[in-house]
Amino acid sequence: VQLEESGGGLVEPGGSLRLSCAASGFIFSNYAMNWVRQAPGRGLEWVACISSRGSYTYYADHADSMRGRFTISRDNAENSLFLQINRLRADDTAVYYCTRDPGFQFNSPHMDVWGQGTTVTVSS
Amino acid sequence: SYELTQPPSLSVSPGQTARITCSGDKLPKQYTYWYQQKPGQAPVEVIYKDTERPSGIPERFSGSSSGTTVTLTIRGVQAEDEADYYCQSSDNSGTYVIFGGGTKLTVL
């Protein structure tokens, strides 16, 4: 069971980025998936979740700083998860983790498998 | 907004018991999960559904729940247990995820 993120890098404020996560070793289409981020020296912050078939998406958009700028999607045929981030801000600088969620379908989301993360740096 | 509260830090000597708490007013209605994160590494789930231990996690790790507080207990702490520990739960609908602020466990 493995998750491998890619797509991070240095981006100027206001720019966009699309992160990818390649899944292997399990039936990807059976699981909801999440993105979680961690700013330097800070704690874990949930970003978004997508149901197993992609029918439902949820975002941490109660946080003003994140509202409306993130889009989570998936391609079950390619065993891939994506996160599109627009209008990037300096406080989006973080390691972004892709995680598997076996509990979402039972209304108890959690993360039993994590990737190693991809680093996004927003700076001019 | 809903918050989970953890102590920022905890120090214990090797062989002692570490108890890390997590408080939140919705915890009686939703399961809590615990993650261990060592420096430079991705988090690892060490407790799920309040008290269950995933395969491969040492028996010295256990979880308990009482009202609005859940506790991660590490008995016979070892040097390798030095890490940041995060609790995680969700809102009443089970769709929004919330993490506690994390507790840095130092093994003296």
Side-chain angles (χ1 to χ4, degrees), chain A residues 74-124:
Chain A
R74 65 190 296 162
D75 183 341
N76 285 349
E78 296 293 329
N79 293 333
S80 295
L81 176 72
F82 306 101
L83 183 69
Q84 176 74 35
I85 314 173
N86 297 327
R87 304 191 303 280
L88 277 154
R89 303 159 40 133
D91 59 4
D92 293 321
T93 295
V95 175
Y96 285 75
Y97 294 103
C98 164
T99 74
R100 188 177 80 168
D101 188 341
F104 176 81
Q105 61 182 320
F106 305 112
N107 293 328
S108 187
H110 66 108
M111 296 140 208
D112 68 341
V113 180
W114 296 65
Q116 284 304 304
T118 187
T119 300
V120 173
T121 303
V122 184
S123 175
S124 55

Side-chain angles (χ1 to χ4, degrees), chain A residues 2-101:
Chain A
Q2 192 172 355
L3 299 171
E4 185 172 356
E5 303 91 339
S6 61
L10 176 62
V11 186
E12 291 188 349
S16 298
L17 207 57
R18 190 190 197 210
L19 306 182
S20 300
C21 171
S24 60
F26 65 100
I27 302 174
F28 181 68
S29 59
N30 283 355
Y31 290 87
M33 299 293 292
N34 293 277
W35 286 98
V36 175
R37 71 181 184 179
Q38 186 171 34
R42 305 293 297 273
L44 302 173
E45 181 179 31
W46 175 70
V47 174
C49 175
I50 187 167
S51 60
S52 59
R53 297 182 181 181
S55 302
Y56 302 99
T57 57
Y58 301 94
Y59 300 91
D61 55 9
H62 56 278
D64 290 343
S65 63
M66 298 173 69
R67 186 168 295 130
R69 300 189 297 114
F70 295 78
T71 303
I72 189 172
S73 61
R74 65 190 296 162
D75 183 341
N76 285 349
E78 296 293 329
N79 293 333
S80 295
L81 176 72
F82 306 101
L83 183 69
Q84 176 74 35
I85 314 173
N86 297 327
R87 304 191 303 280
L88 277 154
R89 303 159 40 133
D91 59 4
D92 293 321
T93 295
V95 175
Y96 285 75
Y97 294 103
C98 164
T99 74
R100 188 177 80 168
D101 188 341

